[in-house]
Structures are given as C-alpha cells and as structure tokens.
Amino acid sequence: MHECLNKCDELIVVIGSAEESHTMKNPFTAGERFQMILSCLTPEERLRVIIVPIRDVNRYSVWVNHLESYLPPFDIVFSNSNLTRSLFKQAGYEVRRTRAYNPKEYSATEVRKRMISGKKWAHLVPGPVAGMLEAIDARQRLLDSGERPSTR
Amino acid sequence: MHECLNKCDELIVVIGSAEESHTMKNPFTAGERFQMILSCLTPEERLRVIIVPIRDVNRYSVWVNHLESYLPPFDIVFSNSNLTRSLFKQAGYEVRRTRAYNPKEYSATEVRKRMISGKKWAHLVPGPVAGMLEAIDARQRLLDSGERPSTR
Amino acid sequence: MHECLNKCDELIVVIGSAEESHTMKNPFTAGERFQMILSCLTPEERLRVIIVPIRDVNRYSVWVNHLESYLPPFDIVFSNSNLTRSLFKQAGYEVRRTRAYNPKEYSATEVRKRMISGKKWAHLVPGPVAGMLEAIDARQRLLDSGERPSTR
Amino acid sequence: MHECLNKCDELIVVIGSAEESHTMKNPFTAGERFQMILSCLTPEERLRVIIVPIRDVNRYSVWVNHLESYLPPFDIVFSNSNLTRSLFKQAGYEVRRTRAYNPKEYSATEVRKRMISGKKWAHLVPGPVAGMLEAIDARQRLLDSGERPSTR
Amino acid sequence: MHECLNKCDELIVVIGSAEESHTMKNPFTAGERFQMILSCLTPEERLRVIIVPIRDVNRYSVWVNHLESYLPPFDIVFSNSNLTRSLFKQAGYEVRRTRAYNPKEYSATEVRKRMISGKKWAHLVPGPVAGMLEAIDARQRLLDSGERPSTR
Amino acid sequence: MHECLNKCDELIVVIGSAEESHTMKNPFTAGERFQMILSCLTPEERLRVIIVPIRDVNRYSVWVNHLESYLPPFDIVFSNSNLTRSLFKQAGYEVRRTRAYNPKEYSATEVRKRMISGKKWAHLVPGPVAGMLEAIDARQRLLDSGERPSTR
C-alpha cells in the first residue's frame, strides 16, 4: 500500500471478498480488515486513501463493471494477479504490478502458519495491526476457522 | 441426537446445507433427511423434538442471525464444530460438545465408503433408516453423485 | 390447519417466505411463526403435524422441485392460490382448496389493521398466539415494519 | 423483429427476464417464448437469427457486461428503452430505436387484457403463436398468474 | 452528516443499496455517491469520517450482523427509520434520530422532482455536489432511469 | 454434437456454467462458446440446432425444472454424466450416453494442457474454432485464468 501511495496522489484500497470471514483464507471480517488498514495510516496518508470493502461476484465477466460501480473514478490498477490486470487492461485501464515483497516472510500465508504453530509472527506485521490481532485473539479465530458454517 | 435429548426438555435438530443433495457429502435432499430423523423418534420423543431444514448462507458473519430467524428461541447450542461453538458463544449462548462416538465406525463418511465399495453398512445406522436407504437405492445415488449439475 | 388435519393422517405445514420478517406482510420471523403454530397444537395433533419453513425462490418454474426437496413425500396439496394448485396439479399431485373462513374477519390483514389502529384483535386469533403477540409487542413491530432494510 | 432483420445481416434476439414465468408480466417460460419466436421464422430467417434467453441481474451497473458475456459479438443495439440505449451508448455501441407499432393494439399488454376479459386476441399475434397459445391454454395461465410463489 | 459529526468523534457514513443505480430512487452508483460525500468534507472532517458502501440484503433478520461485518466497531446508530433504530436497539446499540431538515425542500425527492420538471435545484445541494451532478448530466440519468434492466 | 445430430431431428445444445469464464475449466464466456459452436455448423445443420446458454444453479434438486424452464420441449437427454442421466430419467425422460471419443486426445482438458505447455493443439479442434481461439489469444487467457476475481 505504501509503495502504491508513493506512485499516485490518491489511492483506493479495495478490501476483496468482503462478505467472507472466519475462514482460513479470510479470517477477519471486512470491518476488522478496514480497521487494520486505517491503523497503519498517518493523518497525511489518510487524506489520500479511500478504503472500500467489495464482495466477490464470482463472475469474471462482470468484475470490471462491478468494481467501477462501487468506486470513485480511477485511472491505474495495481495488482499482482495476471487475470485482474488482464481484465482491466482490456477495459482500457493502465495496469501495474507492485514490487514483490519477500514472499517467504511477508505474506499473509506465512503469518497465518506461524500463528497456528505458535511461532513468532508479530514482527512481520505493522505494530498497530499486531496489537489489534492480539486483542481479537486472532490465533483462536484461525484455529476455529472452517470451510463453511455448520451445526455439526 | 438421543444424547442431546437426555440433556434438555426440548431439542431443535437443524438439517444443515438443506438446499444440497446428490453430492458425495450430502447425497440426500433435506426432505429425505427429515424423514430419516423422524423415523428414529418414538412418539414420546417426537413431542420434544423440532426438526428444521436450513440452507447454508456461506457467510459466517451472519450465521447466528440466520439461524435465530428460522428457529424458535433456544438457550444451548450442541455442536462439535469449533467455529459454530465459538460464534454462538460470542453471541451469548451456552455451547456444548457432544460426546464423540467411535469416529472410525459411526461416521457418515464411513457409511458412504462402505456403501460405495459394497461392504456391509446397515448395522451402522438405525433400523428404519437402513430400510429407507435401501428403498431410495442410496448406493446408486452415491455412485451418481457429482460436484455440480452438468449436461456433459 | 385444523380443517386440513381432519382430512388427512399427516399434515405438513409450510411456512412460506421464511427469510422475510419485519415487513407489513410478514412481520414475524419464521422462528416466531413456527412457535405460534406449535402453540396451537394439542399433543395428539403435534404427532401428526410437520412444520417446515421454506424461503421463496421467486421462480415459479422451479417452485415444485424446490418444495419437493425440502419436504418428506406428500400426496395432496391444500392451497387457496390458483397458481400453486395449477403448478402442483401439472406435476401430478392431487390439489384442493380449503374452505374460506369469513375473509372479512379471520384474515391476517384484518388482524394487522386492527392492531395498528388500536382496535380489539385478540379474539380473532387462538389464545396462545394472542399471548405470544403481546409478549413480542407485535403492535410496535407492525408500526416499525418497512419495505427494506435502510440506515436512513 | 422482422423490422430489425431488414436492417442487419445477423440478429440476436434476447429473451429478457428468462427466469420469470407464470406472472402477469411474463406468463411464459423462457423455453416457451423461445419456441414462439422460432415458430415465426422462415428457414431463411432462422439462419440469420440467434435467440438467447438471459436472466435479469437487477443491477444496471453490470447490465452491459452481463449481456456481453452471454452473446456473440454485436455492433448495434435496438431497443425502445431509454435506459438500455443510454447504457450501451455509454459503453461505445451504436444504439437505435425500433419503429413503434400501434401501441394500442399490438402490445403484449393489450393481448393479455383481451385474453383475460374473453375478447378476440388471435388476430393480434402471428398465426403459429396463436396456435401455441391455445395449446398451452394461455388464458388459464394468465388467470392463475401471481406475484410470487405461495402455498396459501 | 454534519449534524452527526458534531455529536461524535468519528462518524461512519453508510451508503445503502450500494448495488443499485440508474433507478428513480437511486440514480447514482455507489461510487458516484461516494465521491459526492467526499466532496463535501473539509480535510479536518475527512480525518474523522469513514464512508462504506453496503449492498442491501433484503432480510431484516440479518441486517444488524450484515452491517457489523462490514464496519469498524461503532456505539451509536443515527437513523430516521423506525425499523433500523428498533433492530439496532434490540441488539444493544444506542440509537438516535437526526433532526429533520425542512422535508419539503431539502429532500432528495424534491431535488429529483425539480430536476425532472426543469426547475432550479442547484441551491438545494452543496456546491461541489451541484457541479458533479451537472458533469454527469444527472437530469438525463433521471429521465432514463427505469424499474429494471430491459432490452425492450 | 454431430453424433447426436445423426440420432434426432432437432438438437438443443446446452452451454452449461454460462456465467463462468476466465477460469481454467471454462476459459471462455458463454458468448464465445456460442460462437464456436455456430462456426462448426453447416447451414443445413443450423436449421436443426438450437443453442442455449444456461447458468448453473448448484442445486441438483431443481436442476430438471431449471433446464425445462429455459428450453423448448424435448424428449431425449444425451449426457455422459451419471447424475444428469439419473435425474432426468427419474423425471420421465429417455436418456442416452454419447459414444466416448478417444478421451486421451479429444478432450478439452488435453487441448488446454497442450496450449499451456506450448505443444500443438490446433489439429484437435475443428478448423473454424482453431481460428477463433487464435484470434482471442486463448493461450494467454488460460495462463491468466484464476480461481476467482481478485484485486491482489
């Protein structure tokens, strides 16, 4: 996010799969993810960032229209997904990759794995996020997370 | 179910994934599952049991509200799913595990496996259910069950 | 319901529009409606009645399959809706009207109108239902009921 | 349709609200409407016409993408709806009105009204369609049509 | 909004019916509405306001859970809808009305009516919004708005 | 398709999973698949073939009603899926398998695998389809295809 902020005046951060939570892939609600992102912004940055939670539609063919309808106008799309870049490029947008962090360490997957196995993870996320994750007992949430709601 | 019935006056049995059928995980329609449960109840038990088929919403964040809206009021939630217990506990309900049966034998998975491979399975389910499974040719249903509807 | 119970051994009562509540047409959740129906049954009747909440699918063309998948097998369909009778008849079911009560008085619409305008209504519903309606402050629910959820 | 066929080489006819049937506005299933359109085509015309049933998405903001994903490529959009023309024009398509027939007589609304009240209607629709409407007892279908599925 | 901002430190503004646009009731996309709200905020206000577009679920019984899952934690709910206040109050939130503006003039309905009939409306909305409405030709959008997508 | 055309007068070809595209399993939109099928038909065949794109409903229990509502009347169902044949047989239709092509070579899976790994594939599909696949750069589409839309 901070890398993208350096490359533009205003940045829209999309919270994807906004309706999902309590799963291994998306343990947190869109609201919780919203709060985590906010906590990493300085006041100066907050004036230049717009955060928008958006549910998946699971139809790639309307994905561009779906995003356009939820977002203020934008010109450039930052994404490391080939498909996303391809769909937006075809719709006339400028598209860019973001520089890949060290994927071994700074990935959400790595943080989840460490949490579950009880290893250190707090140094891999921004300070305010680490505090928030402790407060909502993220480790327990991960251990409980499931495939889909069930009464069994 | 009978274990839970011993621990409360009235029991609501939720038939989950009610819209699913003809899959490996849920070979039977909610209506067929309803009938199987009914067939295991004595008249005395039937007066204390409420059976409610409920479709999945696939959004854990509204799962508690979803169930509350379909069910008469309840106080205790019996479930062996960590997530279900965790969501209802957070919403203020008392939650309990049920004693685990011998999972090697008395699980639905085991019954399905035996049916498919042609081994004996009838002794693992209540008598009336075994009859019903024969009547609807459950073995063939399992062999035909798929991932999703298709015309191929 | 009691009229139908006299005409068959076992009766399935479908709670339609099960996902709707807090509207003028369906002020109560499926769970609350479930409870109201239960409260009107004697133990002898309860052994012969199955109550099933079913959400609308808003596609008449799959309506019969939708109901069949949620319900134990049935032979006769009681309904005062021409369309429902017509769809089930075409699918091979026996269909019947129920005798019309005095529609001026014993209709849900009349009860709602009286509640809202503050007139007497309790004598128009079974005793246990009247008590339940008082307990959940049904009049206030009606006054608050809306077209669709809104934050305005 | 025949007017449009004169203005282009190939014509795609979209059957809208394809999931709706048995309502006053759309008494017939998409399949029945498909058959009626087919019955009006000469072999020569059939080679130039593509018929595609498409369900409503009820989100105007993805309407163009939705149609594009179901249809072979097209250049011109014929429609008498201001909104449809406006949405496709904004997406870069050429849009055109169709000449209005005598709306008093040749409208679907007029045919429905006449059917219901028992007046002559067959002269207002193409011959093969009239036969098909008789065969499926369209008048009864209209009399039975409802707002939404119900068991009342 | 400014009235609410005076009564709390941080304000979450929910854009309801976020998936709707091009209708008489919601002529603009969530993205356009987002932009209009942003344009009315001073930098100082923007640091205290969170804007979140949320689609309708059309099930009042899960409305509270639905909003909670999209939003950072909140304590007070401002709404002039009786139902919204009632649902959140029951879930334990503090609820408040907002002072009613002169409903004859400052309502969205009045602005729409004036736009359509060609009367002056710009003085009824904040300056930046008026400019934006001109830019996207809001009057034409209103004239084109429909009930649901159609190819007719 | 041509095998089935030899066995009946009129053939309805169903394009399944019509709302899916840009995935490994269904890289092409329903519209693109429609076009490919059309391109393989002689004029004589086109007069006997009806092509209908149909979205999945993911509920096997309404699958038959769903298809019936989209299609003109039909008598025989050709399918190599056990479940599809079983569901339609139970609903009273005649069902048939199609002769299996050499599954090693003439399967869609094989064509996709060859495209991705850069091997020859054009000889495995009809000539006009090969041209179309080149024109829309099918290889790149496959390389980009994903599990679900994402902004990452």
Side-chain angles (χ1 to χ4, degrees), chain C residues 18 20 26 37 45-46 54 71 80 96 99 102 118 148:
Chain C
E20 201 174 304
N26 283 301
I37 297 167
E45 287 167 344
R46 187 160 162 183
I54 296 194
L71 304 178
N80 284 332
R96 295 202 202 153
R99 214 168 353 129
N102 178 343
R148 52 176 177 166

Side-chain angles (χ1 to χ4, degrees), chain A residues 14 16-17 20 25-26 56 58-61 63 67 78-84 86-87, chain F residues 18-24 26 29 32 140-141 143-152:
Chain A
V14 170
S17 304
E20 203 175 304
K25 194 167 173 202
N26 283 301
D56 287 339
N58 288 324
R59 282 188 67 194
Y60 291 113
S61 52
W63 186 231
L67 280 174
F78 294 92
S79 170
N80 284 332
S81 145
N82 290 343
L83 180 52
T84 297
S86 159
L87 292 168
Chain F
E19 311 225 326
E20 203 175 301
S21 70
H22 297 86
T23 65
M24 192 54 75
N26 283 299
T29 67
E32 291 167 335
Q140 191 58 46
R141 177 98 45 113
L143 293 173
D144 290 348
S145 71
E147 288 291 319
R148 51 177 178 167
S150 153
T151 55
R152 256 154 281 167

Side-chain angles (χ1 to χ4, degrees), chain D residues 39-149:
Chain D
S39 74
C40 301
L41 298 176
T42 64
E44 186 275 335
E45 286 167 345
R46 186 160 163 184
L47 290 174
R48 293 166 50 214
V49 169
I50 289 169
I51 304 168
V52 186
I54 296 194
R55 73 172 177 112
D56 286 339
V57 287
N58 288 325
R59 281 186 67 194
Y60 291 112
S61 52
V62 300
W63 187 230
V64 171
N65 269 191
H66 179 54
L67 281 173
E68 288 173 332
S69 77
Y70 267 74
L71 304 178
F74 54 96
D75 305 308
I76 311 175
V77 174
F78 294 93
S79 170
N80 284 332
S81 146
N82 290 340
L83 181 52
T84 296
R85 283 202 316 280
S86 157
L87 291 169
F88 277 93
K89 195 176 167 189
Q90 200 179 330
Y93 288 90
E94 182 186 334
V95 297
R96 296 201 202 155
R97 287 176 171 286
T98 61
R99 214 167 352 129
Y101 282 97
N102 178 344
K104 262 245 178 80
E105 289 238 320
Y106 289 93
S107 77
T109 307
E110 176 66 17
V111 172
R112 283 193 290 254
K113 234 189 317 187
R114 281 164 176 264
M115 265 192 186
I116 288 170
S117 57
K119 288 192 197 148
K120 277 207 250 178
W121 55 266
H123 62 291
L124 298 178
V125 301
V129 171
M132 208 175 306
L133 290 174
E134 297 279 12
I136 59 179
D137 198 352
R139 185 173 184 254
Q140 192 57 46
R141 176 93 51 107
L142 278 175
L143 293 173
D144 289 348
S145 69
E147 287 291 319
R148 51 177 177 165

Side-chain angles (χ1 to χ4, degrees), chain B residues 61-70 88, chain E residues 59-66 68:
Chain B
S61 52
V62 301
W63 187 230
V64 171
N65 270 192
H66 178 54
L67 280 173
E68 287 174 333
S69 78
Y70 266 74
F88 277 94
Chain E
R59 282 187 67 194
Y60 290 113
S61 53
V62 300
W63 186 230
V64 170
N65 270 192
H66 178 54
E68 288 173 334

Side-chain angles (χ1 to χ4, degrees), chain A residues 6-30:
Chain A
N6 291 336
K7 295 192 181 143
C8 55
D9 293 330
E10 285 205 275
L11 181 68
I12 301 173
V13 177
V14 170
I15 298 176
S17 304
E19 311 225 326
E20 203 175 304
S21 69
H22 297 86
T23 64
M24 192 54 75
K25 194 167 173 202
N26 283 301
F28 308 112
T29 67

Side-chain angles (χ1 to χ4, degrees), chain A residues 115-129:
Chain A
M115 265 192 186
I116 287 169
S117 57
K119 287 193 199 148
K120 276 207 251 176
W121 53 268
H123 63 291
L124 297 177
V125 302
V129 171

